[in-house]
Short mmCIF file of all heavy atoms in Angstrom, two decimals:
data_model
loop_
_atom_site.label_atom_id
_atom_site.label_comp_id
_atom_site.label_asym_id
_atom_site.label_seq_id
_atom_site.Cartn_x
_atom_site.Cartn_y
_atom_site.Cartn_z
N ALA A 1 77.95 90.46 99.07
CA ALA A 1 78.66 90.18 100.32
C ALA A 1 80.18 90.22 100.11
O ALA A 1 80.93 90.51 101.05
CB ALA A 1 78.25 88.82 100.88
N LYS A 2 80.62 89.93 98.89
CA LYS A 2 82.05 89.92 98.58
C LYS A 2 82.48 91.14 97.77
O LYS A 2 83.63 91.24 97.36
CB LYS A 2 82.41 88.65 97.81
CG LYS A 2 82.23 87.37 98.61
CD LYS A 2 82.66 86.15 97.84
CE LYS A 2 82.50 84.89 98.67
NZ LYS A 2 82.90 83.68 97.91
N ASN A 3 81.54 92.05 97.48
CA ASN A 3 81.85 93.23 96.66
C ASN A 3 82.50 92.83 95.34
O ASN A 3 83.47 93.46 94.90
CB ASN A 3 82.76 94.20 97.42
CG ASN A 3 82.04 94.96 98.50
OD1 ASN A 3 80.85 94.76 98.74
ND2 ASN A 3 82.75 95.84 99.19
N THR A 4 81.96 91.80 94.73
CA THR A 4 82.59 91.24 93.54
C THR A 4 81.55 91.00 92.44
O THR A 4 80.44 90.54 92.72
CB THR A 4 83.31 89.92 93.87
OG1 THR A 4 84.32 90.18 94.85
CG2 THR A 4 83.97 89.33 92.63
N VAL A 5 81.94 91.32 91.22
CA VAL A 5 81.13 91.01 90.05
C VAL A 5 81.90 90.01 89.20
O VAL A 5 83.14 90.07 89.12
CB VAL A 5 80.77 92.29 89.25
CG1 VAL A 5 82.01 93.01 88.74
CG2 VAL A 5 79.81 91.98 88.13
N TYR A 6 81.18 89.10 88.59
CA TYR A 6 81.78 88.02 87.82
C TYR A 6 81.30 88.05 86.37
O TYR A 6 80.23 88.57 86.06
CB TYR A 6 81.42 86.66 88.42
CG TYR A 6 81.78 86.51 89.87
CD1 TYR A 6 80.83 86.72 90.87
CD2 TYR A 6 83.07 86.15 90.25
CE1 TYR A 6 81.16 86.58 92.20
CE2 TYR A 6 83.40 86.01 91.58
CZ TYR A 6 82.44 86.23 92.56
OH TYR A 6 82.78 86.09 93.88
N LEU A 7 82.12 87.46 85.51
CA LEU A 7 81.71 87.24 84.13
C LEU A 7 82.13 85.82 83.76
O LEU A 7 83.32 85.54 83.59
CB LEU A 7 82.34 88.25 83.18
CG LEU A 7 81.83 88.18 81.73
CD1 LEU A 7 80.36 88.60 81.67
CD2 LEU A 7 82.67 89.04 80.80
N GLN A 8 81.15 84.93 83.70
CA GLN A 8 81.40 83.56 83.27
C GLN A 8 81.31 83.53 81.75
O GLN A 8 80.27 83.91 81.18
CB GLN A 8 80.37 82.61 83.88
CG GLN A 8 80.51 81.17 83.43
CD GLN A 8 81.77 80.52 83.93
OE1 GLN A 8 82.16 80.68 85.08
NE2 GLN A 8 82.44 79.77 83.06
N MET A 9 82.37 83.09 81.12
CA MET A 9 82.44 83.10 79.66
C MET A 9 82.60 81.66 79.17
O MET A 9 83.60 81.00 79.48
CB MET A 9 83.61 83.95 79.19
CG MET A 9 83.61 85.36 79.73
SD MET A 9 84.89 86.42 79.05
CE MET A 9 86.34 85.58 79.67
N ASN A 10 81.59 81.17 78.47
CA ASN A 10 81.59 79.83 77.91
C ASN A 10 81.61 79.87 76.39
O ASN A 10 81.33 80.91 75.79
CB ASN A 10 80.36 79.06 78.40
CG ASN A 10 80.30 78.90 79.89
OD1 ASN A 10 81.34 78.83 80.57
ND2 ASN A 10 79.10 78.86 80.43
N SER A 11 81.93 78.75 75.79
CA SER A 11 81.95 78.63 74.33
C SER A 11 82.73 79.79 73.70
O SER A 11 82.27 80.44 72.75
CB SER A 11 80.52 78.61 73.78
OG SER A 11 79.78 77.53 74.34
N LEU A 12 83.91 80.03 74.24
CA LEU A 12 84.69 81.17 73.79
C LEU A 12 85.13 81.00 72.33
O LEU A 12 85.40 79.89 71.86
CB LEU A 12 85.91 81.35 74.69
CG LEU A 12 85.58 82.03 76.03
CD1 LEU A 12 86.67 81.77 77.05
CD2 LEU A 12 85.36 83.51 75.84
N LYS A 13 85.20 82.16 71.66
CA LYS A 13 85.57 82.21 70.25
C LYS A 13 86.82 83.08 70.10
O LYS A 13 87.04 83.97 70.93
CB LYS A 13 84.44 82.81 69.42
CG LYS A 13 83.10 82.10 69.57
CD LYS A 13 82.01 82.85 68.81
CE LYS A 13 80.67 82.18 68.97
NZ LYS A 13 79.60 82.90 68.22
N PRO A 14 87.58 82.89 69.04
CA PRO A 14 88.75 83.75 68.83
C PRO A 14 88.39 85.24 68.82
O PRO A 14 89.19 86.08 69.28
CB PRO A 14 89.28 83.30 67.47
CG PRO A 14 88.89 81.86 67.39
CD PRO A 14 87.54 81.80 68.07
N GLU A 15 87.21 85.57 68.36
CA GLU A 15 86.79 86.98 68.32
C GLU A 15 86.47 87.55 69.69
O GLU A 15 86.23 88.74 69.83
CB GLU A 15 85.60 87.19 67.37
CG GLU A 15 84.44 86.26 67.61
CD GLU A 15 84.46 85.05 66.68
OE1 GLU A 15 85.55 84.46 66.48
OE2 GLU A 15 83.37 84.70 66.17
N ASP A 16 86.48 86.71 70.72
CA ASP A 16 86.33 87.20 72.09
C ASP A 16 87.66 87.69 72.66
O ASP A 16 87.69 88.24 73.77
CB ASP A 16 85.77 86.10 73.00
CG ASP A 16 84.35 85.69 72.64
OD1 ASP A 16 83.54 86.59 72.34
OD2 ASP A 16 84.07 84.47 72.66
N THR A 17 88.73 87.48 71.93
CA THR A 17 90.05 87.93 72.39
C THR A 17 90.06 89.45 72.57
O THR A 17 89.72 90.20 71.66
CB THR A 17 91.13 87.53 71.38
OG1 THR A 17 91.23 86.10 71.34
CG2 THR A 17 92.49 88.12 71.76
N ALA A 18 90.42 89.89 73.78
CA ALA A 18 90.40 91.31 74.11
C ALA A 18 90.92 91.50 75.54
O ALA A 18 91.08 90.52 76.27
CB ALA A 18 88.98 91.87 74.01
N VAL A 19 91.12 92.75 75.90
CA VAL A 19 91.32 93.09 77.31
C VAL A 19 89.93 93.40 77.87
O VAL A 19 89.19 94.20 77.30
CB VAL A 19 92.25 94.29 77.47
CG1 VAL A 19 92.41 94.64 78.95
CG2 VAL A 19 93.62 93.99 76.87
N TYR A 20 89.61 92.75 78.96
CA TYR A 20 88.31 92.91 79.60
C TYR A 20 88.45 93.83 80.82
O TYR A 20 89.34 93.62 81.65
CB TYR A 20 87.75 91.55 80.00
CG TYR A 20 87.22 90.78 78.82
CD1 TYR A 20 88.08 90.24 77.88
CD2 TYR A 20 85.85 90.62 78.62
CE1 TYR A 20 87.60 89.55 76.77
CE2 TYR A 20 85.36 89.93 77.53
CZ TYR A 20 86.24 89.40 76.60
OH TYR A 20 85.75 88.72 75.51
N TYR A 21 87.54 94.80 80.88
CA TYR A 21 87.58 95.81 81.94
C TYR A 21 86.30 95.79 82.75
O TYR A 21 85.19 95.71 82.19
CB TYR A 21 87.73 97.20 81.34
CG TYR A 21 89.02 97.44 80.60
CD1 TYR A 21 89.09 97.21 79.23
CD2 TYR A 21 90.15 97.91 81.26
CE1 TYR A 21 90.27 97.44 78.53
CE2 TYR A 21 91.33 98.13 80.56
CZ TYR A 21 91.37 97.90 79.20
OH TYR A 21 92.55 98.13 78.52
N CYS A 22 86.45 95.96 84.04
CA CYS A 22 85.34 96.16 84.95
C CYS A 22 85.08 97.66 85.05
O CYS A 22 86.03 98.46 85.07
CB CYS A 22 85.72 95.57 86.31
SG CYS A 22 84.50 95.73 87.60
N ASN A 23 83.81 98.03 85.12
CA ASN A 23 83.44 99.45 85.16
C ASN A 23 82.37 99.68 86.21
O ASN A 23 81.42 98.91 86.31
CB ASN A 23 82.93 99.88 83.79
CG ASN A 23 82.28 101.24 83.81
OD1 ASN A 23 81.05 101.37 83.81
ND2 ASN A 23 83.09 102.28 83.82
N ALA A 24 82.55 100.78 86.96
CA ALA A 24 81.57 101.16 87.98
C ALA A 24 81.30 102.65 87.84
O ALA A 24 82.12 103.48 88.27
CB ALA A 24 82.12 100.85 89.37
N PRO A 25 80.17 103.00 87.25
CA PRO A 25 79.80 104.41 87.20
C PRO A 25 79.25 104.85 88.55
O PRO A 25 78.55 104.08 89.22
CB PRO A 25 78.71 104.45 86.12
CG PRO A 25 78.12 103.08 86.14
CD PRO A 25 79.19 102.14 86.58
N ARG A 26 79.60 106.08 88.96
CA ARG A 26 79.09 106.59 90.22
C ARG A 26 78.92 108.09 90.08
O ARG A 26 79.90 108.82 90.06
CB ARG A 26 80.03 106.25 91.39
CG ARG A 26 79.44 106.58 92.75
CD ARG A 26 80.40 106.28 93.88
NE ARG A 26 81.53 107.20 93.91
CZ ARG A 26 82.43 107.24 94.88
NH1 ARG A 26 82.34 106.40 95.90
NH2 ARG A 26 83.44 108.09 94.85
N GLY A 27 77.69 108.52 90.00
CA GLY A 27 77.44 109.94 89.81
C GLY A 27 78.09 110.43 88.53
O GLY A 27 77.86 109.87 87.46
N CYS A 28 78.92 111.46 88.64
CA CYS A 28 79.62 112.01 87.48
C CYS A 28 80.93 111.28 87.20
O CYS A 28 81.60 111.58 86.21
CB CYS A 28 79.92 113.49 87.70
SG CYS A 28 78.44 114.49 87.90
#
């Protein structure tokens, strides 16, 4: 309904440090 995807991240670790990207494949 909101056209939104979420990522809840718990118990985070230093190795989770990164740039996080959303991706939507569509056809080609």
